[in-house]
Amino acid sequence: MIKQALANLKISALNEMQQAAIAAAKKGDVILFSPTGSGKTLAFLLPLLSLLDAEIATVQALILVPSRELALQIEQVFKTIGSGFKVNCCYGGHPVKIERNNFSQPPAVLIGTPGRVAHHLRRESFGTETIFTLVLDEFDKALEFGFQEDMSFIISRMPAVKKRILTSATKMDEIPAFARLDHPVTLDFLNNAVSAPDLQQKIIFADAADRLDALFALICKIGSKATLVFCNHREAVGRISDLLWERGLPNGIFHGGMEQDDRERALLKFRNGSYPVLITTDLASRGLDIPEIEYVVHYQLPHNEEAFTHRNGRTARMHASGTSYLLLSAEEKPAYLKAATEVENLPENVVLPQPSPWQTLYIAAGKKDKVNKVDVVGLLLQKGGLEKTDVGLVEVLDFAAYAAIKREKIEQTVVLLKSEKIKNKKVKIEISR
């Protein structure tokens, strides 16, 4: 089963940490300490496959995660594995009614945030009698977000659990008793040289008054490569984004104060290349499905070394390499920076990068309308006048679908699709703003 799963994921081999996690899970409960980006999702999903029973029609495994983005990412990986078992997500901001309807035919695997899963348990939306496996993913982050009470309640309502797997990207000296781990095998890969990222760190010296100019010049130098810009506060995210737009640099923003739909759309456009630059708080430092980030920029100094590590963990993931830039005034000397960190020189004559080759098309129909990726791609190729190379990443959500389309073709495509139907239904199709 694992061999077929890897084939579906287009992965040739597991890394050392994943192999160790699978072996440990056969023996009992597991605590896995491993860096962000090292592949922890597969380290618990693959052992889970052998524990699922096709004869059981109720929930068999619960995966608790600290954020909706991480829940959706794990759901996507599980679906790609192609096990044939049903999976569903529950999280804040998602309509409770849809989630309750999903429980009419319960998934084998339920992924959720503690607050929403606790909500469903209190309303007895699903039974716990056959939940034999419990995964506490990014447990350190869940504690940091204040989910102790919800997690304690949820775990107390899981009488049948036989296997517990807990993952964390930071070392924890003590695991709270409410996790109920039974003589766990502890795997510590946090200082493993094999999984150390190929990360270059560079400093750009800029006083506060000149920092925006320095960021603008740096992004222009980087060009159209995927870049995450980290700030410490939501207000800074919005301010910097607006100023970069005024200078002709398109970008997206992501922080906890945004509406869920806006956050989802910003990540989607960053993933599909419509926005090469995403300006964000530390909310985006962990658990997001944003692969192949080549550059991380610390516009403001992280509060501590742990935050610095997790921000940098968005690049140089698995076998990739990446670069982390830190914008500092001459007086700022964070203890966690190596003494020999290289200084980056910025060009005096700044040239705006070429616009992204992609723009995002919005289609007002999704999974709940029985629309899938094949339907969307078929519509674009057959009715939208596009070739396969004109279509990039396609993502279908509950009530909407988004497709990356070559910039020079998208307006013509909108015109051609103006009167077309998808699943025999006429829906709004427009360029996503």
Side-chain angles (χ1 to χ4, degrees):
M1 189 182 283
I2 288 179
K3 189 175 180 182
Q4 185 56 52
L6 294 181
N8 292 344
L9 291 162
K10 297 182 172 59
I11 293 174
S12 56
L14 296 171
N15 63 31
E16 181 188 351
M17 177 273 291
Q18 291 163 337
Q19 291 173 7
I22 291 169
K26 292 176 182 176
K27 299 173 184 174
D29 290 355
V30 179
I31 297 172
L32 173 61
F33 298 120
S34 193
T36 299
S38 56
K40 289 193 292 295
T41 300
L42 281 187
F44 62 76
L45 283 185
L46 293 177
L48 183 63
L49 293 178
S50 62
L51 301 171
L52 298 175
D53 184 346
E55 299 299 315
I56 297 175
T58 45
V59 182
Q60 300 178 55
L62 174 64
I63 302 172
L64 286 179
V65 296
S67 70
R68 69 177 297 283
E69 287 81 14
L70 183 54
L72 290 167
Q73 178 184 338
I74 295 169
E75 179 189 40
Q76 189 55 52
V77 174
F78 188 84
K79 286 180 175 178
T80 306
I81 282 173
S83 66
F85 288 99
K86 186 180 177 183
V87 61
N88 278 136
C89 277
C90 294
Y91 49 82
H94 194 231
V96 173
K97 186 177 179 183
I98 289 176
E99 293 177 355
R100 287 191 69 105
N101 288 342
N102 286 337
F103 286 125
S104 63
Q105 292 181 297
V109 178
L110 178 63
I111 307 165
T113 52
R116 182 54 65 89
V117 172
H119 170 91
H120 283 296
L121 277 178
R122 290 186 178 99
R123 283 152 187 77
E124 299 182 346
S125 302
F126 64 94
T128 61
E129 303 81 13
T130 57
I131 296 180
F132 303 127
T133 306
L134 175 66
V135 177
L136 305 171
D137 191 27
E138 299 278 16
F139 186 68
D140 54 333
K141 197 69 176 174
L143 293 178
E144 187 183 315
F145 283 177
F147 286 131
Q148 291 92 323
E149 194 175 319
D150 284 330
M151 288 193 293
S152 180
F153 166 72
I154 292 164
I155 294 168
S156 73
R157 297 286 298 273
M158 301 281 144
V161 171
K162 299 174 183 174
K163 176 89 61 193
R164 292 172 172 84
I165 301 173
L166 184 153
T167 83
S168 174
T170 57
K171 193 66 181 285
M172 303 174 70
D173 295 326
E174 187 177 358
I175 304 295
F178 71 74
R180 301 190 181 186
L181 294 167
D182 183 20
H183 297 92
V185 175
T186 299
L187 303 174
D188 186 354
F189 282 82
L190 290 175
N191 298 312
N192 186 26
V194 174
S195 64
D198 180 10
L199 178 72
Q200 276 191 300
Q201 294 184 0
K202 299 184 179 183
I203 291 176
I204 295 166
F205 287 110
D207 292 329
D210 303 321
R211 197 159 288 186
L212 183 71
D213 290 333
L215 177 65
F216 178 69
L218 174 61
I219 292 173
C220 289
K221 182 176 182 178
I222 288 172
S224 57
K225 305 283 179 59
T227 304
L228 272 176
V229 178
F230 282 103
C231 304
N232 292 340
H233 308 289
R234 297 171 183 176
E235 296 75 19
V237 169
R239 177 172 52 82
I240 293 162
S241 173
D242 290 344
L243 290 168
L244 290 180
W245 272 102
E246 287 175 14
R247 295 186 180 201
L249 265 182
N251 63 85
I253 64 171
F254 184 85
H255 60 70
M258 297 167 64
E259 290 292 327
Q260 204 68 59
D261 286 350
D262 294 334
R263 275 163 60 179
E264 201 162 68
R265 196 159 44 245
L267 281 182
L268 194 145
K269 290 184 179 182
F270 185 57
R271 275 197 296 268
N272 71 22
S274 294
Y275 288 153
V277 177
L278 186 69
I279 303 168
T280 180
T281 59
D282 283 337
L283 183 65
S285 66
R286 296 170 68 179
L288 297 188
D289 185 14
I290 41 177
E292 298 179 19
I293 307 304
E294 296 184 54
Y295 299 97
V296 165
V297 180
H298 305 272
Y299 184 83
Q300 292 168 321
L301 199 62
H303 294 303
N304 52 48
E305 183 170 5
E306 185 181 332
F308 183 64
T309 300
H310 287 307
R311 287 180 178 187
N312 288 338
R314 299 314 313 178
T315 188
R317 296 167 69 79
M318 296 296 279
H319 306 297
S321 60
T323 305
S324 165
Y325 293 101
L326 205 58
L327 274 61
L328 299 174
S329 63
E331 301 78 42
E332 290 177 306
K333 292 184 173 63
Y336 45 78
L337 261 193
K338 299 173 193 169
T341 300
E342 183 182 341
V343 175
E344 178 82 357
N345 295 313
L346 297 175
E348 289 183 20
N349 298 317
V350 175
V351 179
L352 273 173
Q354 290 293 314
S356 163
W358 301 103
Q359 271 190 287
T360 301
L361 187 73
Y362 164 76
I363 300 170
K367 294 175 187 173
K368 298 302 176 183
D369 306 294
K370 309 297 184 191
V371 170
N372 59 36
K373 285 186 185 179
V374 175
D375 299 322
V376 173
V377 173
L379 178 72
L380 295 173
L381 300 186
Q382 293 162 25
K383 305 289 186 178
L386 297 172
E387 301 293 329
K388 284 184 181 178
T389 52
D390 298 326
V391 181
L393 184 66
V394 174
E395 296 193 47
V396 182
L397 311 181
D398 280 345
F399 296 106
Y402 295 88
I405 307 293
K406 283 289 176 67
R407 180 175 295 272
E408 67 271 15
K409 299 282 185 75
I410 194 165
E411 289 190 8
Q412 174 197 357
T413 299
V414 170
V415 172
L416 288 172
L417 295 179
K418 191 173 182 181
S419 302
E420 294 297 335
K421 296 179 179 179
I422 188 164
K423 291 287 183 179
N424 297 317
K425 181 181 175 186
K426 194 174 185 309
V427 299
K428 181 188 285 187
I429 298 175
E430 61 187 14
I431 298 173
S432 176
R433 303 300 179 189

